[in-house]
Amino acid sequence: AEGFAVADRVAIMDLGRIEQTGTPEDVYFHPGNETIARFLGLDNFLDGIIESGGRIRTVAGSFRIPEGSNHRTGETVRILIRPEAAVLETDGPGPRGQNRITGTLVRRMFQGRQYRIRVRTPNHHEFVFDLPSRPAPPDTGCPVSLLIQEGNITVF
């Protein structure tokens, strides 16, 4: 966060080799690979398969392929869902499916402007998301449904 705040350009290195350079925004929103994303603290990964109709099928649901992706039907991919991607459905858990993750809230940590939450899906995948502090998310142990904003998904 500090590097992004003061830099006009950043370079991410791994084992003495520059992996990616760019503006802080470009590197954060378009990490070149999973290693770079993990270095930036991004951990919400899912394996998926590209389906016809511009969707990615995963064990946690179906997600729309972000604009600009050039993947083919049947291709196996790995997707990253950034922590700011989720919006809490306040009407209670919706159906599992398109750009939606449902599960149980297993942890919530108040951080002032936001809550950092951990959600466990029925198939035991866990995701970490940052939600605004108002409205507050439900208590731990409660079922939740989160809509995932398309612009916050990266496909590898």
Side-chain angles (χ1 to χ4, degrees), residues 89-148:
E89 280 192 289
T90 55
D91 295 336
R96 192 180 133 208
Q98 299 184 359
N99 283 32
R100 177 179 281 118
I101 291 177
T102 59
T104 302
L105 197 140
V106 295
R107 185 161 189 229
R108 73 179 211 161
M109 182 187 310
F110 180 69
Q111 298 180 326
R113 291 185 186 170
Q114 66 189 21
Y115 277 90
R116 172 144 294 185
I117 66 167
R118 180 175 294 273
V119 175
R120 182 177 298 134
T121 67
N123 51 19
H124 305 289
H125 279 78
E126 290 194 6
F127 298 95
V128 174
F129 294 109
D130 296 328
L131 299 177
S133 60
R134 292 284 180 237
D139 291 329
T140 58
C142 290
V144 292
S145 181
L146 302 162
L147 294 175
I148 306 301

Side-chain angles (χ1 to χ4, degrees), residues 2-119:
E2 292 83 9
F4 283 167
V6 300
D8 294 325
R9 293 190 55 78
V10 294
I12 306 293
M13 296 181 69
D14 185 33
L15 300 173
R17 201 176 105 218
I18 294 176
E19 292 286 326
Q20 184 173 353
T21 62
T23 65
E25 293 92 343
D26 187 47
V27 171
Y28 181 80
F29 289 112
H30 307 287
N33 58 45
E34 186 174 337
T35 301
I36 293 168
R38 288 192 183 279
F39 175 78
L40 297 173
L42 305 172
D43 295 333
N44 294 333
F45 290 96
L46 275 172
D47 292 322
I49 296 175
I50 303 293
E51 295 183 318
S52 61
R55 306 220 45 96
I56 305 166
R57 180 174 32 95
T58 75
V59 296
S62 174
F63 299 91
R64 185 181 319 273
I65 297 172
E67 285 188 34
S69 294
N70 56 355
H71 298 279
R72 297 180 314 277
T73 300
E75 185 179 352
T76 300
V77 295
R78 190 134 165 98
I79 67 170
L80 163 67
I81 304 170
R82 279 186 288 289
E84 67 274 12
V87 175
L88 185 65
E89 280 192 289
T90 55
D91 295 336
R96 192 180 133 208
Q98 299 184 359
N99 283 32
R100 177 179 281 118
I101 291 177
T102 59
T104 302
L105 197 140
V106 295
R107 185 161 189 229
R108 73 179 211 161
M109 182 187 310
F110 180 69
Q111 298 180 326
R113 291 185 186 170
Q114 66 189 21
Y115 277 90
R116 172 144 294 185
I117 66 167
R118 180 175 294 273
V119 175

